[in-house]
Structure formats: structure tokens, C-alpha cells
Amino acid sequence: MKRMLSGIKPTGQLTLGNYIGALRNFVNYQDDYEMIVFIANLHCITEYQDPADLKKNLTDAVALYLACGLDPKRSVIFLQTDVHSHAELGYIMACNTYLGELNRMTQFKDKAQKGEKNMTAGLYTYPCLMAADILLYDANYVPVGEDQKQHVELTRDLAQRFNNKYGETFVVPEPLIAKVGARIMSLSDPSKKMSKSEETNKGCIYLLDDLKDVRKKIMSAVTDSIGIIQLDKENQPGLYNLIEIASALTNKAMEDIVKEFEGQGYGKLKVYVADIVCEEMEKIQKRYHEIIDSRQIENILKEGAQRASAIADPKLETVKKKIGLEIKY
Ligand code: ATP
Ligand code: LTN
């Protein structure tokens, strides 16, 4: 069975974008692949996080993983800091990455260009840690949203470079990007990604939002004045985004949804999308509360860390041997 690995960095509450672009796919893949998913808590602190908020977001993220259908029996679920090999291989990867490569990473470049202050060295070297996260497990596939593709491509370059320098060591992973829903846009500004770090909350649906607010956000989603239901991403990005959300959650083709609503007003389509989103979220929220109440999270993470360490730790040992870092008598 091929192995698949992915992580989520819960620097805030998880969003509908995270669900459609990532989480939902992890759940669908867990029958056909050996699935490893983790909470990238080291990645969270590349920017300051209030400690109490961070702790809550980490717990909620695990509970939401489970609520969305990840099954700890079929998948390995763990917290990144519980497996120490990540940080160690992350450093080794940083020593095998050129500054030019990191300077080209668009996520970092965008932040620097926006003039963001207090950017940390951790944020800069983040792709090296991400490469380590993936390479420790010899993952064949990495399911991610569009924004992470470049990081997985860097991981491929680093794996190949290491293999060339030190001999065959790592599996070279492939990014896996879903055809529909890889980039859900903000409801209030469809030129931007729906993001948990958005300044206003209007365009972002959080998985734990009150369903009344969810409906309100969808009903007031920014569209256009063209008034025709059709697929024109460039001129009607807001409408396109709503149809894409509905398509991702129902598995109906976007064209079929357009046909269903041809000749009708945007209001009707919005009600349809709101119904679909709320129905899906209601199920997730119910399961989330059951999981939080059952207090099973700690045990699941403990077992997950043991299973993850059993793969990652021997890999790190192999790497250290190949580099010549060890002295063994
Ligand atoms: P931020 O929201 O702060 O920009 P993020 O959501 O991209 O951060 P993560 O939580 O680590 O960061 O993302 C987890 C996964 O969700 C990644 O695979 C990412 O590509 C995907 N993802 C995030 N936002 C969206 C979106 N709007 N549409 C589709 N996929 C998304
Ligand atoms: N960088 C990712 C989160 C992440 C990840 C990973 C995803 C950290 N390590 C390994 C896939 C594989 C993000 O910001 N979304």
C-alpha cells in the first residue's frame, strides 16, 4: 500500500477551506493508502501565538480531524512535537537547502513584500522542516491545497539532492492536489484565499462557527452585477467560488449545478449552498462535541506518536549514519 502524509498548522480555528482543500481528502484517502496526518504545532510558532489560544487550537484541530472522519485505527494521527525526529531532521534539511531556494518560496516572499514586521528565522526555514516532516516517513503522496505545492516541490528537490550526495535514502514524494476545491476563496473578497488569518471574519467560515452565522456569511457573499449563473472564474469569481464549494461537498460536477440553476437568481443558489454547507457542518460539530466530551484525544495522540516514531526514528538514524554524524564503537 502506498503511503500518504499531510499536516495542518492550526494557527487559528480550522476553516471550510481547510476542510474542502485538505481534511475531507485525508478522510477519503484513508481506505486506499497508509495515511499519516499530524498537527504541525512547530510550524505554528513561526509566528507568535498566544499560548492559551494555541493550546485550544491544537486540541480543537485534533477533535476536528476525528469529527471529520479520520479514524485513528486506520490512520496515524499525532502531534509533531511528540516525535522529536522532526526537529532534528528539519535542522539537517536546513543544512542541505540553499538560501536562493528559500528566497523563492512565494509564501515567504509575499509576507516580506507586504512589509510584515518581526518575521522570524523559523518562518524563513519553515520549508526545511516541512521537507523533514514528509521525508521521515518515505511518503509517496502529499495531499495539500494549491498554496503548498511549491513546498512539496522543494521537498522533492531536497530528497533528490540528498540521495545523489549520500546514496539512495529518501522516497521522492509527489504533491496531490484535488481537481475541485484546492483553493476556496474568501466570501467577502473572492480574489483572496479563504484564510484563518484573515483580518475580518466575514469572508471566512470556521468549522466551529454558529450555523446561523454561516448562513449569513454565505447569503452576503460578494458576487457580481452580471446576474447570469454560469462558470466564468475571471469575471464572476465570487459566484464560481460558491459553485465550487457546492460541487466539492456534493461531488456533483460544477456544470451540473449551473444547469440546475440556469436562469435563476443568485439568491436561490446561495440558499442552496448555505443548506449544503450547514448540513455538512452540523454533522461535524455534533461529532466534535462528542469527542471533546469523551476525553479520548490524549490517548489517541499517544498511540499515534508511538506508531509515528517507529517509522521516523529509524529513518533519522539512517540519515545520521549516511552523513557521518555518528561515532559508534
Ligand atoms: P492560513 O489560513 O493561515 O493561510 P492555511 O490554512 O493555509 O493557513 P494550514 O492550516 O496548515 O494553513 O492548511 C492546511 C491545509 O489546508 C493545506 O493543505 C492547505 O493547502 C489547505 N488549505 C488552506 N486554505 C485553503 C483554501 N482556502 N482552499 C483550499 N485548501 C486550503
Ligand atoms: N505547511 C503546511 C503544513 C504542513 C504540511 C507538512 C503539509 C507542515 N508540514 C507536511 C503537508 C506535509 C501548511 O502551512 N499548510
Side-chain angles (χ1 to χ4, degrees), residues 5-9 38 40 43 80 107 126 129-130 133-134 142-144 147-148 151-152:
L5 171 140
S6 200
I8 283 193
K9 171 177 69 96
F38 68 100
H43 290 265
Q80 189 180 26
Q107 220 172 35
Y126 167 119
L129 180 59
M130 178 158 164
D133 297 335
I134 298 167
V142 185
V144 282
D147 59 329
Q148 293 300 320
H151 291 154
V152 182

Side-chain angles (χ1 to χ4, degrees), residues 6-23 26 40 43 47 65 107 111 126 143-149 181-186 192-198 204:
S6 200
I8 283 193
K9 171 177 69 96
T11 43
Q13 288 287 321
L14 297 189
T15 69
L16 185 67
N18 293 136
Y19 178 65
I20 293 179
L23 264 174
F26 304 168
H43 290 265
E47 289 167 288
Y65 268 28
Q107 220 172 35
K111 287 208 165 136
Y126 167 119
V144 282
E146 189 66 45
D147 59 329
Q148 293 300 320
K149 190 169 169 219
R183 193 170 168 83
I184 299 299
M185 309 309 275
S186 160
K192 290 200 188 118
K193 188 183 91 154
M194 182 183 282
S195 163
K196 54 174 116 78
S197 21
E198 202 174 301
C204 180

